[in-house]
Structures are given as C-alpha cells and as structure tokens.
Amino acid sequence: MDELSVFLGGRAGEGVKRGALVIGKLFNRYGYHVFIMDDYVSTIRGGQDYSEIRISKKEVFSQKGISDIFFSFHEDIFERYSSKTKRDTVAVLDGKGGTNVPFDEIIKEKNASPVMKPSVILGVLSYVCEIPFEFVVKTLESEFKEKADKNIELAKAGFEYAKENNFPKLRMERWTKPQFPVISGNELTALGAVRAGMKVYTAYPITPASTLLHFLAKESKRLHIAAIHTEDEISAAVMAIGAAYAGAPAMCGTSGPGIDLMGEAISLAGGTEIPLVIVDAQRAGPTTGVPTYTEQGDLNLVLNVGHGEFPRIVLAPGTIDESFDVAARAMQYAWWYQTPVFVLTDKHIAESTKTVNIQFGKKYPLPVKYFEGSGVYKRYQVTEDGISPIAFPSMKGIVNHTNSTEHTEEGYSSSLPENVVKMKEKRLKKAETIRNDFLAEHTINVFGDVDAKNTVITFGSPTGTLLEAIEGLPLKLLQVIALEPFPVEKVKNIFDHSEKIISVEQNSTGQFAELVKCKTGRAPDEKILRYDGRPFDPFELKERLKEALL
Amino acid sequence: MNIGTNKKIQWCPGCGNYAIYSAFKNVVERNIENGKLIKENIVLVSGIGCHGYITNYYDLNSFHPIHGRVPPLATGMRIANDLLTVVGFAGDGDVYAEGMNHIIQAARRNTDITMIVHDNSVYGLTTGQFTPTSPKGFKGRSTPFGNPERPLNPITLMIVSRGTFVARGFSGDVKHLEYLFERAIFHRGFSIVDVIQPCVTFNNTYEFFRKRVYRLEDTDYKPNDFEKAVEKSLEWGDKIPIGVFYEEETDTYEKLVRGHENFFFNRDVPDITEILTEKS
C-alpha cells in the first residue's frame, strides 16, 4: 500500500495522543511521511479522544477522514466514529475474536498501565503491515528510553496476538524517505522564533497555544531562553514588551480570548514602537466557544485589535512546515520595523504533527536599526522611512524615553496639535515603508495548475488540505501569507487572469473573502466555509470545489 | 550631578508628588556620584495618573506605559537584563485597582524591582473619584453620596503577598522618604514603598496625617518578623506608623526563571539539531 490511515480512539488516560505520535514515529523511521491530527475534548477524564495518523509515500498535509485500520479501546468510540470507516476497514476493538485485541487483559497480564495501551498497537501494526519488529523496538527505545522494556514487551504481545489470530495484512513495503523530525506547528513556531533570536516567551495557559509554552519551558535550558507562565494574558503581553524594551527579543502567545485581553498592550507596543511578536493559535469562538477545536474566526480581530491607529503586520502560515519560517520572519519584521507582528495559526496547524523536511539550518539574522549618532538620543526621531534608530538601557550615554502618551521626538509627553500630527505621520510613514518593502517579501504562495483559469484563494490551515483537494482540478491555489499589509498587487495580478475565484476559510462569516473584496475590489465568486470546529478533509473539499466550479 | 530635565513640572503647587520627586532625585544623584548606581542602567517606569509625568522630569531611561501594568513591564525588563535597576512609580488607582493582580504577583514572585506608590486615596487626573484606599463614606464625583466600599490596607496586602521589603512613607517627611527609597532600591528582591501623599486639590489630608504619623525607626520595632509585621500593619488610628514594616532576603524570580543569562548582552542563536534529532 502507498498509503495507510490509522484511527486510534480511547478515553483520556489511555495514551492516545502520545500513542499516535509514537505510531507516527514508527512509520517515519520506516521511510514514510506522516500527518497526525489529534481530536480531544476539553475534559481531563471521561472524554473520548482520538487521533488520525495518515501515513504516505508522498508528503501529506492533512488527515484523510477515512481509516484503513481503526483501533478503539471502547465500543462506544467505534460507534460514534463509524463514519470514519469504510467497508473493508480493519476494526480492532478491545476483546477477543475477529480482529479484536484484548488490550485490557494484556495490560493486566503484563502488569502495565493503561496509558501504555498504544504500545500493544505498535506490535499489531508491525504484524499487519509487515514491518520488521526491530523498527518497533528502535522506535520505543528512542521514545521511552529507560522505560522502553515494558513497552516493547507489550508490543511483542500485540504482535503475537495478531499472528496467532491470523489478522489480515495491510502490507507496507520499506520506503525510502529519510527520517525527519515529527513535529507540531506550535513547536515549529517556537523554534522559528528561537532561530531568529527570541529570548523571552510569555504566555498564560490556553488551548491550543499551551503546547507552545510547554515545549519552550521544557527546552528553555538547552535553548538559553526564558519561558514564562504569567498571571494572565495582559501580563504576558506587557512583560514581553518590557523585555523587548530592555533589548531581549520577546514573543507572547495565546488564543482568541487571550488576544482580547492583550488588546491594550498591543496598542501600547504600536504606539511606543516596541518590537513584539504575538502568536494567536485560533480556536472556535465566540467566548469560551469550542476550546479544543479549530476555526479561523480571529482574522478580523488580529487585523484590528488595539485602539487607535498604528502599523502592524499579520502573517499566517499555511502548513505546519511554514510555521517555522513565518515565526522567524515575524521576529525579524518586529525588530526591524519596531511594531507588533502577529503570527496567526489555528488548532489544526498548531497542534497537528507531521514529518517535516525544511531548512532548519537557515539563518535568520536580526538586523536592528541601531542608534549610532552622538549627542542627545531621540527615541522617536523622525526619519525618512518612519523607523527611528533604537538604543537600549545599559548603552553608554543613552537615555531612552519610551512613552505611551503622545510624545516628542525625544520621548517627552506632548499633546500639542503640531506634535500629534508629526508623530501620527511618522507612524504612517513607517506603515508605508512596510507596505513598500513587502512588495519584495514572500507574501503569497501559488500552487497547482498555474495556467488554470480558475483560482482558489485561502489563508492558513486550509492550504494544506487544498494542496491535495485541487489535484486533478482545473484550479490554481493562491495562499495569502501576509494578511497585513495585504499583497494587493500580487493578488490582483492573479485575479486579472482568473475567470472564477473561490475562497476557502474555516469560519461562518467569510472574513477572509470580505478582506479580499475590500483589498482587491473583486469579491470571490464562491465561498466555501466550514464552521463545525473540525478541519476540512481533502475529499470533502474536493467535492465542494467541484460543485463551486460548475 | 543633576538628573533633572528642563521640562516644566505640571503638578499643583503643594502636591505630594514634589516630595517624592525630590527625595528620589537626591537618592539617585547621591548614589550615582558615589558609584553605587550606574546612570545608564537605571530604568524608571511610571503608571497613569498625575504621578505618571514623573518620567519626563528625570534624565534617566524610562517607560511610561498603560494604567495598572507597571509591575509586569518592570519584570520583563529585569528578565531581559540583570544589570538594570528598575524602579516603578504608580498611583493607588494603578496598583490597587486596575493592576492589583499584578502587584500581588510581583510581590509573591519576589521580582527585583522597586515600586513607589503615590497613594493619595483619590484619582486626581480624572478629577476626584474614590480609589481602593479611600475611606468609606468618601464623597467623590462618582460617589456623591459617599464611598460604599471599605478601604484596602496596602501594607497588610503587600506583607501577606510575601513582598520582601514593605514600607510606608509620608510625603510630609522628605528625609525619611530618602531613607526608605535608598533602602528599597538596594533591597535585592521586590520592594514597595507606599507613600501617603495628600492631593491638595481633591483630598488634602496633610493635617490629618501630620498629626498622626510616627517613624517605626524611632521605636524598637524590628521588621524581621512576618506575624508581627502583619499586626503592626493594622495599626491605623490616632497613631499611624511609617517606615519599614517587613524585610527578608530570598531568591529573586528572574534568577529562578533565567539563571545567569543576560538576554540583552548575549543574543547567540542556539543550535536546534539535537532537539530535532530527538523528535525524529
């Protein structure tokens, strides 16, 4: 088989998420590309969690929705998600007979913990897919270190059980892809920022951004950074601003509800011209909403949050892979332009995991327009490009007056009308500089049939799914990375050669379609929306695209 | 040495802010001269309110941010660069209303910052509303029939929040303020000086306090006992103590979260190969 889709469902406490990752790593080691989507509910015990692990010879950017082999530790999970099976799906439930496996019995017999159940599955897969057992051993050793033995024992039991009961085969040949990191969007966002010099990360726990904090906290010593859990999102944003003022590149991260709270701090960073990167890993709103599910409902929020007028940049990676480059560039832009920069992801990118092969070694220098003059330092010096030279406390002879009150070039408070105009125009100038510079920046991607006369336009996580959905359709895919400043000319240019334009986004009002219309003067002819908190899957999307093309 | 600027000071004549301004100025100038403070390593943060303009009047690094958020801003600076001496000025509305959460967190973390609170029990800049430290019954523009709330005791609050240097000053006693500011600045960890500072326009309490305050330093009170400090902080009546209520030394927050890293001076980008290898 060229491709395999594995469903793994259980209750919280049965190691579903970790298990899915380990299964992904097994196939990564065996030479395949992997994409893992975790679906979990906002409870600690009693909920039904599942993961879809998609394994393929070619790179895949989304879950498949339909499984070839369906593991469930409980009958009710199988019943609930039976729509994710097909006629010949191999269903493996807890029990005996047919293709069932007595998971509980094996766990008890081996005196193991229920959280280790997925290790039994690794053994079953080894038999069913004809993966030499040594791959399982190596995977478990690398994952569980000194605790590997018990897991290997469980895997062996799974293998033997499948063999004795003559389980059907879904043979996967040894494939050729080298071993890549199996990594999530949040982790790549973190590493991208670190590679561009981030030293301080601040956040308050919130799904689906918490895993970004967890990862940076765990790795803080090796990365020589501080990852700080603050008392709230207000403090997270303000503390990051304090760190940046003192010369440490800083980032704060949250989800929509936290962005609401960060509003005044984002305005503060804009008005005081502080470099600040803000990650919004979106979830389904409004209010508490559907906290563990995905949505792109914060687009208008991040384009507008913070009172008053100030320059901002909003970037959205389209795939897990792209999170790295986008986060790194966000840090570079923040420090060059001294203004807030948003990285807009969503649960589907932030918390899904895949095999990633990108230029991890790429250098992201952090050029800063330093003050090199002598005499009195003017924090808000009026310059041609609107960017004032920056200097930090601890620099000899520097007095840096940063001021949220409207200020003079020296940073002293002033509400004189001519001064207000001067500073507003300085910030306008900076926004214009950003717009002009962005003409040469990487702000869109075009995929698919570039000569196609129809265009599907999107941003963020639907991109990965669309890459697959448009295969064989007369469509080119235009993904917008920079939502602000919007790449008006580039998009218009493609629109000028497009008969039909279809927009795809994960929300109920079509915020992106509205933005496209407002910026280009041309509204998409068809809008494809999804707003049940679940990400698009490629087959569903293909059908909807076909309909839209009629 | 003169750390003043040529900006015209815009406080009402007789405002308690002047006492805080000159006491702090004297302390900083003296300690820059004797080499105990380095001018470019000092950063002042001021909140929103009449006091907030104070950063315009010192020729020192400063950040004048938004209402209530002085402590987290100051904390971020300390996390970035260990050389910085960070002093936050804030009003009672700033730290005990809008930002009360933050001042409690900063105290219990023991972030190495100094907070100087211009506590005049009234919002001056917004023309005379009650604050969390105004007495019950206080008639302000938002409470024409009297403040319905009972006042907060900032000293007790800061002691039980585990602040490691908690003091009260009075703007009618500049010499004593200098003493408190100097000790607070050089205290390693979170220090707060709540300065009773009458507002001559909206809440002139000079006479009230002048009659009642006495210096703890003139008594045999020792600020090294938590329970006694809490008890002492509750004294409020015919006699009102000013001075250091509580003091202790313990690890600072920023040391615990960033070790000895200095993120301003060391911007090296780490190698991530090892982490990526472990992920694959």
Side-chain angles (χ1 to χ4, degrees):
Chain A
M1 291 173 66
D2 292 341
E3 200 177 301
L4 182 76
S5 183
V6 180
F7 180 102
L8 168 55
R11 300 215 201 290
E14 290 181 319
V16 170
K17 205 168 169 180
R18 181 86 184 271
L21 181 66
V22 180
I23 292 169
K25 285 185 170 178
L26 169 67
F27 282 94
N28 178 45
R29 188 176 285 269
Y30 195 51
Y32 285 81
H33 293 276
V34 168
F35 181 94
I36 305 167
M37 184 194 78
D38 298 316
D39 184 298
Y40 60 99
V41 290
S42 190
T43 51
I44 295 302
R45 293 283 160 185
Q48 297 173 337
D49 295 349
Y50 75 85
S51 296
E52 287 183 49
I53 307 123
R54 188 171 176 198
I55 298 141
S56 175
K57 285 183 174 173
K58 62 169 187 139
E59 188 168 22
V60 279
F61 294 91
S62 68
Q63 79 294 353
K64 196 172 174 182
I66 300 289
S67 55
D68 299 300
I69 183 159
F70 189 107
F71 293 96
S72 171
F73 301 132
H74 306 276
E75 182 89 27
D76 58 341
I77 296 175
F78 178 71
E79 280 159 15
R80 181 162 170 199
Y81 293 107
S82 57
S83 63
K84 294 186 178 292
T85 59
K86 53 192 165 84
R87 204 170 38 80
D88 60 348
T89 295
V90 179
V92 183
L93 275 71
D94 193 340
K96 284 182 174 168
T99 52
N100 294 336
V101 171
F103 291 106
D104 272 334
E105 210 176 289
I106 293 173
I107 290 292
K108 275 195 199 105
E109 195 180 295
K110 303 284 178 196
N111 201 14
S113 142
V115 79
M116 294 175 169
K117 282 184 187 179
S119 292
V120 181
I121 290 178
L122 252 68
V124 175
L125 283 172
S126 166
Y127 177 79
V128 169
C129 300
E130 295 185 23
I131 302 168
F133 195 73
E134 66 186 80
F135 282 94
V136 174
V137 172
K138 281 196 183 128
T139 303
L140 290 171
E141 277 173 355
S142 129
E143 189 68 16
F144 294 107
K145 308 275 180 321
E146 65 279 2
K147 287 186 208 140
D149 285 354
K150 182 66 91 185
N151 287 286
I152 293 170
E153 208 182 308
L154 291 170
K156 204 160 267 165
F159 183 92
E160 294 301 333
Y161 191 88
K163 191 176 165 191
E164 280 160 24
N165 292 276
N166 234 343
F167 273 33
K169 292 290 180 91
L170 299 165
R171 186 180 138 71
M172 303 287 284
E173 62 182 315
R174 172 85 167 103
W175 198 242
T176 51
K177 178 197 66 64
Q179 226 169 297
F180 294 142
V182 186
I183 197 164
S184 74
N186 271 343
E187 290 167 331
L188 283 180
T189 299
L191 289 176
V194 164
R195 287 291 290 169
M198 185 200 78
K199 294 294 175 196
V200 177
Y201 179 70
T202 52
Y204 183 80
I206 185 168
T207 305
S210 296
T211 45
L212 209 169
L213 172 65
H214 300 167
F215 173 69
L216 283 172
K218 179 168 168 258
E219 300 297 351
S220 59
K221 293 226 156 56
R222 273 201 284 187
L223 295 173
H224 299 279
I225 59 153
I228 294 169
H229 166 168
T230 56
E231 64 268 37
D232 57 21
E233 288 87 348
I234 296 171
S235 179
V238 173
M239 212 181 273
I241 290 170
Y245 165 84
M251 176 165 95
C252 55
T254 185
S255 189
I259 297 287
D260 289 346
L261 286 178
M262 288 181 178
E264 58 163 6
I266 288 162
S267 175
L268 172 68
T272 55
E273 309 198 29
I274 294 285
L276 177 68
V277 177
I278 309 114
V279 179
D280 178 3
Q282 300 168 92
R283 64 191 218 180
T287 186
T288 307
V290 202
T292 58
Y293 288 90
T294 201
E295 190 172 276
Q296 294 181 295
D298 294 352
L299 175 60
N300 285 340
L301 175 66
V302 297
L303 288 171
N304 295 289
V305 66
H307 63 281
E309 302 162 315
F310 54 90
R312 80 180 73 205
I313 294 169
V314 179
L315 307 172
T319 58
I320 291 173
D321 310 60
E322 207 172 34
S323 310
F324 183 81
D325 182 65
V326 163
R329 288 201 285 142
M331 193 55 77
Q332 290 178 311
Y333 297 142
W335 278 73
W336 183 254
Y337 298 112
Q338 303 168 30
T339 209
V341 180
F342 291 87
V343 175
L344 185 62
T345 70
D346 59 52
K347 191 259 173 187
H348 192 48
I349 281 188
E351 292 205 324
S352 296
T353 303
K354 78 183 273 294
T355 41
V356 170
N357 178 28
I358 54 171
Q359 284 180 283
F360 286 111
K362 190 175 168 189
K363 295 250 191 300
Y364 291 94
L366 201 64
V368 177
K369 195 170 176 184
Y370 278 115
F371 173 68
E372 280 163 351
S374 54
V376 174
Y377 171 62
K378 296 179 177 176
R379 174 69 277 261
Y380 301 105
Q381 190 190 337
V382 173
T383 58
E384 238 169 68
D385 58 8
I387 306 166
S388 309
I390 200 164
F392 299 97
S394 276
M395 283 180 164
K396 195 98 199 120
I398 289 299
V399 175
N400 172 332
H401 284 301
T402 292
N403 198 338
S404 74
T405 301
E406 196 56 278
H407 37 255
T408 62
E409 287 186 77
E410 295 81 2
Y412 292 116
S413 306
S414 167
S415 49
L416 292 175
E418 57 273 22
N419 187 69
V420 174
V421 169
K422 187 174 171 184
M423 282 300 138
K424 290 232 181 234
E425 289 180 350
K426 174 187 135 53
R427 294 190 290 267
L428 287 174
K429 189 81 205 167
K430 190 202 277 190
E432 192 188 325
T433 300
I434 295 171
R435 269 197 304 279
N436 288 334
D437 290 357
F438 263 52
L439 296 175
E441 291 297 302
H442 179 191
T443 54
I444 61 163
N445 284 321
V446 183
F447 303 102
D449 180 359
V450 288
D451 299 321
K453 56 185 196 306
N454 300 312
T455 299
V456 54
I457 185 166
T458 195
F459 79 105
S461 71
T463 308
T465 318
L466 277 164
L467 283 172
E468 191 170 348
I470 59 165
E471 276 175 19
L473 296 181
L475 276 170
K476 68 165 90 66
L477 168 58
L478 168 57
Q479 176 217 345
V480 180
I481 302 170
L483 283 324
E484 172 64 35
F486 193 88
V488 178
E489 293 310 315
K490 291 178 200 168
V491 173
K492 265 185 167 171
N493 191 29
I494 290 171
F495 278 11
D496 286 347
H497 301 93
S498 302
E499 276 179 18
K500 194 163 210 174
I501 295 159
I502 305 164
S503 66
V504 176
E505 60 191 297
Q506 186 101 31
N507 61 45
S508 66
T509 54
Q511 298 176 28
F512 178 66
E514 279 300 313
L515 178 70
V516 168
K517 179 182 156 195
C518 160
K519 294 290 180 181
T520 65
R522 189 167 165 191
D525 303 291
E526 302 283 344
K527 283 192 285 198
I528 296 179
L529 307 173
R530 183 165 180 167
Y531 42 86
D532 59 353
R534 275 69 180 172
F536 287 105
D537 76 60
F539 306 99
E540 166 223 358
L541 199 46
K542 184 171 220 126
E543 291 312 308
R544 293 182 70 178
L545 286 170
K546 280 183 190 162
E547 258 171 56
L549 280 170
L550 289 177
Chain B
M1 172 107 266
N2 177 12
I3 58 161
T5 64
N6 60 5
K7 299 290 144 197
K8 188 174 172 287
I9 296 187
Q10 292 172 319
W11 293 318
C12 306
C15 175
N17 282 335
Y18 288 99
I20 295 174
Y21 172 77
S22 39
F24 184 77
K25 186 169 181 288
N26 292 342
V27 168
V28 170
E29 286 173 353
R30 191 158 67 230
N31 283 285
I32 291 174
E33 274 166 15
N34 67 23
K36 286 190 188 156
L37 289 175
I38 295 166
K39 185 176 178 237
E40 54 262 29
N41 288 344
I42 303 170
V43 183
L44 310 182
V45 184
S46 62
I48 296 293
C50 296
H51 83 276
Y53 287 91
I54 200 164
T55 44
N56 288 288
Y57 309 142
Y58 294 122
D59 183 37
L60 296 171
N61 292 307
S62 72
F63 196 141
H64 175 51
I66 40 184
H67 196 45
R69 318 300 173 205
V70 171
L73 193 85
T75 304
M77 294 171 183
R78 285 284 310 145
I79 287 163
N81 180 354
D82 193 42
L83 293 184
L84 300 182
T85 301
V86 184
V87 180
F89 296 91
D92 41 324
D94 245 308
V95 287
Y96 306 136
E98 186 91 27
M100 197 213 260
N101 180 7
H102 305 306
I103 193 84
I104 293 171
Q105 311 295 350
R108 104 196 148 71
R109 285 179 185 135
N110 198 32
T111 309
D112 189 4
I113 59 173
T114 296
M115 291 294 304
I116 294 174
V117 183
H118 301 238
D119 185 358
N120 56 9
S121 299
V122 73
Y123 290 96
L125 201 58
T126 53
T127 64
Q129 300 85 359
F130 79 101
T131 77
T133 59
S134 309
K136 192 171 179 188
F138 174 87
K139 285 189 178 167
R141 294 203 174 177
S142 61
T143 51
F145 309 112
N147 172 17
E149 299 178 6
R150 287 173 295 174
L152 174 89
N153 182 329
I155 301 297
T156 317
L157 177 70
M158 287 294 94
I159 296 169
V160 299
S161 303
R162 306 311 305 222
T164 57
F165 182 97
V166 182
R168 177 188 288 139
F170 174 49
S171 64
D173 189 347
V174 179
K175 275 287 150 224
H176 188 236
L177 276 187
E178 283 189 30
Y179 164 79
L180 295 175
F181 290 169
E182 188 152 39
R183 291 202 50 197
I185 290 168
F186 290 106
H187 171 76
R188 200 175 59 89
F190 177 85
S191 55
I192 182 165
V193 185
D194 184 81
V195 184
I196 293 172
Q197 178 234 322
C199 170
V200 287
T201 305
F202 294 105
N203 190 25
N204 196 342
T205 49
Y206 264 116
E207 283 321 303
F208 176 87
F209 284 111
R210 215 183 281 285
K211 275 188 234 152
R212 289 170 172 79
V213 298
Y214 74 96
R215 291 179 182 181
L216 283 173
E217 286 74 20
D218 294 341
T219 68
D220 56 5
Y221 177 79
K222 297 268 181 302
N224 57 2
D225 183 306
F226 180 79
E227 280 171 30
K228 283 190 183 138
V230 172
E231 198 189 323
K232 188 48 116 177
S233 74
L234 297 172
E235 186 179 327
W236 186 275
D238 290 344
K239 289 279 175 200
I240 295 175
I242 57 173
V244 183
F245 285 77
Y246 186 66
E247 190 178 12
E248 71 167 295
E249 280 254 337
T250 185
D251 287 337
T252 67
Y253 174 72
E254 49 273 38
K255 269 271 154 56
L256 295 173
V257 299
R258 59 132 157 80
H260 295 281
E261 306 272 357
N262 188 307
F263 299 128
F264 173 58
F265 289 101
N266 182 5
R267 294 259 199 89
D268 290 350
V269 173
D271 184 28
I272 57 173
T273 320
E274 198 178 273
I275 291 172
L276 292 171
T277 308
E278 288 168 10
K279 289 259 164 216
S280 56

